[in-house]
Amino acid sequence: MLKISLHILEPYLLEALQELLPQAGICIKENEKDGDCVLFTPPYTGDFRPSLNFSTLSHPLRFLDLLAVLESLPYSQNIIFSYFSLDLREKILKNLKTQESQRLTEKESQLLRFFHQNSGAELLKETLLQEIWGYHPDAETHTLETHIYRLRQKIEEDPNNPQIILNGKEGYYLTDVK
């Protein structure tokens, strides 16, 4: 976990970071104790967590320097689930049975990564809308259902009888079918 004081970030840079970092799997949270900004990565299996080393960056902080650091983070660029491999950087989904590949949208990739990070847990619709799209929990939209439908068309052998992305009581979850 890395702390960085907010005062060294220009407002435009902080706003850009808040948009960019979730795409890299990194969250920004405020530390209640000292008001600093804490940068960390979502939970991974094992003890390894990549971190940002701001000491290597010039001051004032240059956005292009930060982008270069983010791109070099050693977090996994591939996730494996069921009989698929997803290259998160290229957004290429490969069926390991048939060796066929297809491109996913940014949101489809983010959804699969979020499901994978929460291995097997049912994710509430409100949580998915908030984490992936930044929507307010009370927002009324069919965005999630549309994306789940499109993902099922791409990964399910029979999209009408899903075996990988399943409906829960109040959300969805990813199974680990082999």
Side-chain angles (χ1 to χ4, degrees):
M1 190 175 295
L2 173 76
K3 294 181 183 179
I4 180 169
S5 295
L6 290 174
H7 72 275
I8 72 168
L9 297 178
E10 296 292 329
Y12 73 91
L13 181 56
L14 182 59
E15 186 176 313
L17 281 174
Q18 288 171 330
E19 185 173 322
L20 173 70
L21 292 178
Q23 295 175 20
I26 300 170
C27 302
I28 297 181
K29 299 282 183 188
E30 288 185 21
N31 184 333
E32 300 92 14
K33 292 182 183 174
D34 56 20
D36 280 353
C37 185
V38 179
L39 300 180
F40 63 95
T41 56
Y44 285 88
T45 54
D47 294 331
F48 175 73
R49 285 179 179 230
S51 61
L52 296 174
N53 182 358
F54 279 81
S55 66
T56 62
L57 299 174
S58 59
H59 292 281
L61 192 59
R62 291 186 29 200
F63 190 68
L64 292 178
D65 292 341
L66 181 60
L67 284 178
V69 171
L70 286 173
E71 285 193 354
S72 67
L73 278 177
Y75 62 90
S76 175
Q77 294 299 322
N78 292 306
I79 59 172
I80 306 289
F81 64 95
S82 188
Y83 45 87
F84 289 95
S85 171
L86 174 59
D87 181 327
L88 293 168
R89 189 173 294 236
E90 299 297 324
K91 297 168 196 63
I92 301 291
L93 182 69
K94 183 176 183 178
N95 183 320
L96 300 174
K97 284 184 180 178
T98 65
Q99 300 303 309
E100 293 176 9
S101 296
Q102 57 186 313
R103 185 168 299 280
L104 298 182
T105 67
E106 177 68 31
K107 294 300 182 190
E108 289 170 340
S109 294
Q110 288 177 1
L111 267 171
L112 287 175
R113 180 182 65 208
F114 198 67
F115 279 128
H116 187 264
Q117 288 172 342
N118 293 280
S119 56
E122 179 179 349
L123 299 171
L124 300 178
K125 292 177 183 181
E126 294 80 14
T127 301
L128 292 167
L129 286 169
Q130 190 171 14
E131 293 293 325
I132 306 298
W133 285 274
Y135 288 178
H136 187 275
D138 296 330
E140 290 190 34
T141 178
H142 293 287
T143 298
L144 176 60
E145 290 84 356
T146 301
H147 279 79
I148 295 293
Y149 173 82
R150 290 183 186 154
L151 267 175
R152 284 178 173 162
Q153 298 298 312
K154 293 178 179 183
I155 67 174
E156 299 284 358
E157 289 179 15
D158 178 4
N160 294 321
N161 184 23
Q163 301 298 310
I164 300 171
I165 299 177
L166 300 179
N167 291 45
K169 290 181 181 179
E170 297 183 34
Y172 299 96
Y173 62 99
L174 185 72
T175 62
D176 196 21
V177 178
K178 296 288 180 189

